Structures are given as C-alpha cells and as structure tokens.
C-alpha cells in the first residue's frame, strides 16, 4: 500500500492552526520576469532585477523591507497593459474652463462647451454611449476627468442645453443641439484643459511609454528655457501627485525626459518653458485576468515549488477573481497543503469618478462585482486605501490598498499575534483614506473585510482581523487561519513518522490500548512543544475503534483550544467614598 498522510480541517470544531517560519508568496503584475514561474527572492535588488516594476513588486518590496526575506514571487500575466491618461497644464496664468475639441473620426453635429471655474486642472474626455438624433432623443454620455482612465456614472451629468454641473469640479457642461453619434468623443486637455491657472510657457507635452503602475504624475519646470531642448531648461517629476519629487533632470536636445523606472517618457515641444509651470496626468496600472491569475496560482500549487505560508494577491479582485482564489484554496486543502490567501478589493473611485465612500462600500457589500455570498475559510480580502511609502520608486507616497501594509505586518509577526496588536505598533502607512472604525465604513468589518482602523487613545492606524469565512465558522479571524495552517504542518510533520510502522493490535484489528495511550502522549507532547503559546492547549487522540489490520489506516484526531483576543475593552468608571468605622 502506498504510504501517505492526509489532514482534514474542521470548520466548526474550534480546531485551529497556522504556519512555520515560511515565506509568503506574492502574485501580481510586473514589467519583467517569467510568467507563472515561482521564484525565491532574498532582497529588493534581486526582486527588481528579476521582475522589474509593478504593483506586486512594490508590495513584495515593502514586506522585504519590514519583515525580511526570503519571499516567493510569481508573475501573473498582464492582459491589459498600464495606460496613460490625457495631460493638463497649470501655471500662474488666469483660470479657464478649457475648450472641448472633437477627436478622432467624430461626425456628431452636437457641440459641447465647458463653463465655470475649475477647482483643479482636469483632462476632460466626453464619450457618447447612447446615440440620439438630438437632445430631445435623450442621448447619454459619460465624462472623464483624467483623459479616459475612469469615468463618472453614465449620464452624469445629463445631456442638456442648460449647463449642468460636473460633480464638484466647478465646471459645467452644456450642449448646442445636434446629432450624437455612438462612440464619438470630445477632449479638452493640454493647453486647452480646464485649469485654475493657465500655464504661461508655450511648450506642450507628448506622453509615451507603458506605465508600470498607477501614478499621479507631475512634471514641474525648475529652470526656464526660451525653447525646450536649447540646453537651459530642467524639470523635476513626481509620481505621487506632488508629495515627493525626484531630483532635477535637464531637458536634453531631444526634449525627451525619461521618468525614472515608471516606464513613461515625456517629450516637450520646441517652445518656451517657464519656471513652476506644471504638467499633470494620471496612469492606470497593468491588469491580469481571472484566467491568468488562476494560472499563476496553479503554478504555486505544483510539487517542488518552495513551500510557503500564504499567498498575497496584488491587484484588485471582484467576485470572479475570488472564485479562482477559492478554487486554489480548495485544491490545496484537499491535498493537505493548507495555505491562506490575502487579496484586495478595488479602491474608492477606481471604477467610477465622483464615487463617495458610502457608495464604494455599498458596491463591495453587494453582489458581483461585490463580495456578498463569497466565502472561503482561509481567504481574507482587504478593503480600503492608504498612502504608503514606495521604496521601489524612491520613497514616493503612493495611494495603495491597505493590503500592502497588512502583508508586511503579517510577515513580521508570529502567526498567533493579532496584526493590530497595539503594543507592536501602528501599521507603516502615511495616511489612512478608509478607516474601518468610521460609522460610514464599519459595516465592511462585520461583512468580512480586513482593513485598517484608528483606535481611540492611541496614534496611528492598526490592522483589523476579519476573513471571508462564513458567519459561525472557526476561521473568521486571520490569526486563527494562520494558526490552523501552522498546526496542520506541525501535525503532518509528526504523523509522517508513523508511516509504515508496525503496530500491535487487539484480536479485532484495533490498536492496543497501551500503544494508543503512548501514541496519544507522544503526539500531544510534540504538538504542545511545537505550537507553544500559539494555542491555549492541544490534545491528540488515536482512533481506538478503527480496524487497522483490514484498512491499514490509523485515524488521528487533534483538537486545540485557541487563544482569546481582547479586541473590545470595556471600562467601568466611577467615584467612590470609603468611610472609616
């Protein structure tokens, strides 16, 4: 008979466990490296040399910095490359609403116009999504502020001859009646963009390349030039919306300036550059599909791949992606190789401009693309964003999913420790955009999203602990998930020693009582030592009724009492007066 050891994790028996000192595996898009090829990474230099740049690389680098290596990296094939939005200009000139121009093969006769005083520079793009012979036919358009990367909800604002407000931008959009042809579009960007202060230099920008991440780019003129490329002009660039800037770069004779490792090049026209003029644009990150994610996850399941504690999926997922993660989760459990997964939902406004925190939360709480009904014992999905220092991009403070901070914290602590333990300290983030302790977002925690929160009485932000386990499961906290995976490995390591052993039995083929007692004591002692203070207690018991002679199978039951966690503190305060006799 082929020797083997298998394990079954019980969801409702308070039998839990975590993992030994094993690396985390990171999965996501990167600009380099082999697809679906798990690679052990020791340090950040090796990481960028092997896989270049991208969201998953930045997340992996943060964990390397905070918790050390090694880590596994597995590239998910990019299906939609990073994309460039339109640019806008800003300077010391007067405010202007900008001028919309028909683009491409536009044949519509309707004419849009922008009015108002913009609150920020915007790269406007308006696309016809429902055609109409005129305004009375109720055509529908969609409006973008970032050159087509993201849009307001369809029909916001409504098509009207009377100017309608575009959100809180300070801009209004009105139409001169005419035909609306499906997919026709108009833009207002560059020098004609809406801006609170026109640029005073004449040089215009051409943007090229494939961005490696989602950037909020600023290119600021720091030295003037009568004509870009004449040897006198210089700029600095920012990838985080102007919070941090790279060192000054001269504008060469080619007028093309490479923006570091971002994958982007900006080229100036041969016209004047004026100090403090600012060129702005945003980019979208590369994206994998559910199919390419599934391929990467399957590669991590293969025999011979470096063992790892959990899998961190970097890239916004929805219900469809969750199904692929759950499928990998189920296959690993069936193979007695339990691993936990940490993924993240999309950020606020990532799909729709003008989205409020409450609207964003409602999407996540709803059905697909939300996560209502999406459950798996060993899976956590992060909700919320924060600004986080990205050392891969020179310390830029990027707006990221809180997953970046959560993964680093989990890698730095013991499997049984709450990632939000106050004595360990706050998460390494600059600012928290979505505080799950707020009344607007607290439903996310109760609905099974992990994230970050403020705690009254202490500075900084701290991790929450929820998972996607169903209500009533023993695995609704990330600590119990990790402890179960740990205990499973420890138990398998001990029980494999019993494979092919000669075992004295009773006349009915069941294990003899004295032998069973010895096995119970030996395994309990081993697990008590290995699990230590990660559980309150542990006990092991061999099945004394199984016919070992007929089946050659020795069933074993292991149960652990988990640790408790003081997540809520209740104080009873009051005055008292003690009188002497």
């Amino acid at each position: 008979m082929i020797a083997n050891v298998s394990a079954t994790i019980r969801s409702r028996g308070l039998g839990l466990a975590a993992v030994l000192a094993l690396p985390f595996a990171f999965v996501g898009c990167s600009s380099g490296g082999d697809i679906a090829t798990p690679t052990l990474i020791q340090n950040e230099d090796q990481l960028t040399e092997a896989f270049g740049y991208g969201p998953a690389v930045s997340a992996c680098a943060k964990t390397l910095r905070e918790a050390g290596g090694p880590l596994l990296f597995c590239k998910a094939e990019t299906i939609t490359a990073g994309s460039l939005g339109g640019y806008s200009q800003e300077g010391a000139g007067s405010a202007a609403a900008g001028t919309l121009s028909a683009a491409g093969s536009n044949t519509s006769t309707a004419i849009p116009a922008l009015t108002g005083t913009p609150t920020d520079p915007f790269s406007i793009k308006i696309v016809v999504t429902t055609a109409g012979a005129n305004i009375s036919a109720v055509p529908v358009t969609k409006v973008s502020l970032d050159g087509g990367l993201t849009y307001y909800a369809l029909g916001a604002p409504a098509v009207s001859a009377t100017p309608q407000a575009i959100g809180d931008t300070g801009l209004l959009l009105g139409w001169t009646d005419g035909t609306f042809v499906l997919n026709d579009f108009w833009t207002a960007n560059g020098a004609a963009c809406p801006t609170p202060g026109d640029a005073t230099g004449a040089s215009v920008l051409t943007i090229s390349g494939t961005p490696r991440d989602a950037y909020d780019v600023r290119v600021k003129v720091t030295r003037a030039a009568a004509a870009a490329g004449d040897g006198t002009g210089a700029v600095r660039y920012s990838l985080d919306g102007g919070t941090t800037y790279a060192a000054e770069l001269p504008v060469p004779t080619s007028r093309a300036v490479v923006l570091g490792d971002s994958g982007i090049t900006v080229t100036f026209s041969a016209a004047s550059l004026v100090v403090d003029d600012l060129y702005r644009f945003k980019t979208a990150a590369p994206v994998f599909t559910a199919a390419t994610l599934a391929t990467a996850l399957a590669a991590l399941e293969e025999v011979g791949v470096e063992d790892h504690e959990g899998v961190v999926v970097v890239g916004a997922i929805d219900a469809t992606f969750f199904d692929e993660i759950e499928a990998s989760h189920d296959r690993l459990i069936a193979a007695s190789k339990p691993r936990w997964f940490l993924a993240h939902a999309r950020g606020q406004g990532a799909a729709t401009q003008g989205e409020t925190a409450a609207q964003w939360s409602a999407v996540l709480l709803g059905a697909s693309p939300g996560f209502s009904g999406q459950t798996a014992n060993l899976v956590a999905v992060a909700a919320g964003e924060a600004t986080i220092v990205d050392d891969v991009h020179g310390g830029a403070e990027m707006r990221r999913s809180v997953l970046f901070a959560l993964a680093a914290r989990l890698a730095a602590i013991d499997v049984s420790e709450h990632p939000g333990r106050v004595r360990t300290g706050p998460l390494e983030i600059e600012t928290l955009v979505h505080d799950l302790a707020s009344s607007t977002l607290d439903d996310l925690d109760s609905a099974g999203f992990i994230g970050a929160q403020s705690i009254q009485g202490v500075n900084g932000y701290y991790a929450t602990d929820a998972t996607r386990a169903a209500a009533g499961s023993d695995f609704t906290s990330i600590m119990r998930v990790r402890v179960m995976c740990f205990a499973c490995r420890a138990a398998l390591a001990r029980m494999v020693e019993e494979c092919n052993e000669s075992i004295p039995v009773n006349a009915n083929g069941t294990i003899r009582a004295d032998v069973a007692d010895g096995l119970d004591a030996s395994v309990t002692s081993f697990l008590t030592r290995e699990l230590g203070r990660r559980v309150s207690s542990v006990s092991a018991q061999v099945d004394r009724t199984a016919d070992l002679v007929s089946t050659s199978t020795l069933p074993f039951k292991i149960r652990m009492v988990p640790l408790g966690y003081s997540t809520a503190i209740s104080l009873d305060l009051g005055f008292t007066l003690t009188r002497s006799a």
Side-chain angles (χ1 to χ4, degrees), residues 35-51:
I35 296 167
T37 305
T39 304
L40 197 63
I41 299 295
Q42 300 290 344
N43 53 58
E44 187 177 319
D45 286 343
Q46 181 191 1
L47 174 65
T48 54
E49 286 172 7
F51 291 98

Side-chain angles (χ1 to χ4, degrees), residues 96-97 114-118 122 124 145 164-173 194:
L114 294 170
T115 54
T117 302
F122 301 109
I124 302 292
L145 304 180
Q164 304 291 308
I166 304 176
D168 57 1
T169 63
L171 293 170
L172 298 96
L173 174 63

Side-chain angles (χ1 to χ4, degrees), residues 88-383:
S88 59
Q89 296 177 220
E90 180 182 11
S94 59
T99 302
L100 285 158
S101 301
S105 56
N106 190 321
T107 59
S108 298
T109 59
I111 301 173
L114 294 170
T115 54
T117 302
T119 58
D120 232 358
F122 301 109
S123 177
I124 302 292
K125 184 175 182 179
I126 303 167
V127 182
V128 177
T129 59
T130 299
N134 49 41
I135 293 175
S136 297
V138 195
V140 178
T141 64
K142 60 180 181 180
V143 177
S144 172
L145 304 180
D146 54 21
L149 295 178
T150 57
Y151 288 87
Y152 275 94
L154 291 180
V159 174
S160 172
T162 303
Q164 304 291 308
I166 304 176
D168 57 1
T169 63
L171 293 170
L172 298 96
L173 174 63
W175 294 84
T176 300
D177 209 353
T179 59
F180 292 80
V181 177
L182 184 64
N183 295 327
D184 275 4
F185 66 97
W186 298 260
T187 61
N189 64 352
C193 71
T195 177
D198 289 336
T200 52
S203 185
V204 297
L205 209 60
T206 300
I207 313 166
S208 60
T210 303
R212 294 166 171 169
D213 211 329
Y215 305 116
D216 187 358
V217 182
R218 305 285 190 272
V219 180
K220 179 189 290 187
V221 178
T222 54
R223 280 189 279 151
D230 67 4
T232 62
V235 297
R236 297 179 70 190
Y237 73 89
S238 168
L239 300 177
D240 57 14
T243 301
T244 63
Y245 277 88
E248 186 178 76
L249 296 171
V251 178
T253 54
S254 66
R255 305 189 303 280
V257 179
V258 177
L259 304 188
D261 297 309
S262 67
I264 304 168
T265 298
V266 296
T267 303
F268 294 91
S269 67
S272 62
L273 295 172
V274 174
V275 171
D276 289 335
D277 273 2
L278 196 64
Y279 301 81
R280 304 164 45 137
F281 60 93
K282 292 183 178 181
T283 71
V287 176
F288 51 73
T289 63
T292 60
L293 173 61
T295 300
L297 294 178
L300 285 168
E301 299 169 25
E302 292 294 324
V303 174
V305 171
E306 185 81 22
D307 198 7
H308 47 286
E309 180 190 338
V311 180
V312 181
V313 178
V314 186
I317 70 164
D318 58 17
T320 302
F321 290 86
F322 187 94
D323 290 342
E324 297 295 347
I325 293 172
E326 185 180 12
S328 180
H329 159 279
D330 292 348
R331 289 192 298 269
L332 288 165
I333 290 176
S336 299
K337 298 192 296 185
R339 295 173 187 145
W340 52 263
F341 292 79
L342 175 63
H344 70 91
R346 72 163 176 86
Q348 180 185 341
T352 304
Q353 290 182 355
E355 185 178 52
T356 66
Q359 290 168 334
W360 165 74
S361 175
V363 171
L364 300 193
L365 294 172
S368 181
F371 295 83
S372 177
Q374 299 287 334
T375 61
N377 282 338
L378 309 184
V379 178
V381 176

Side-chain angles (χ1 to χ4, degrees), residues 553-573:
T553 298
L554 186 64
F556 235 94
K557 181 182 290 185
I558 297 170
R559 290 292 183 264
M560 293 155 283
V561 176
L563 297 176
Y565 296 90
S566 52
T567 303
I569 307 296
S570 176
L571 298 176
D572 186 342
L573 303 177

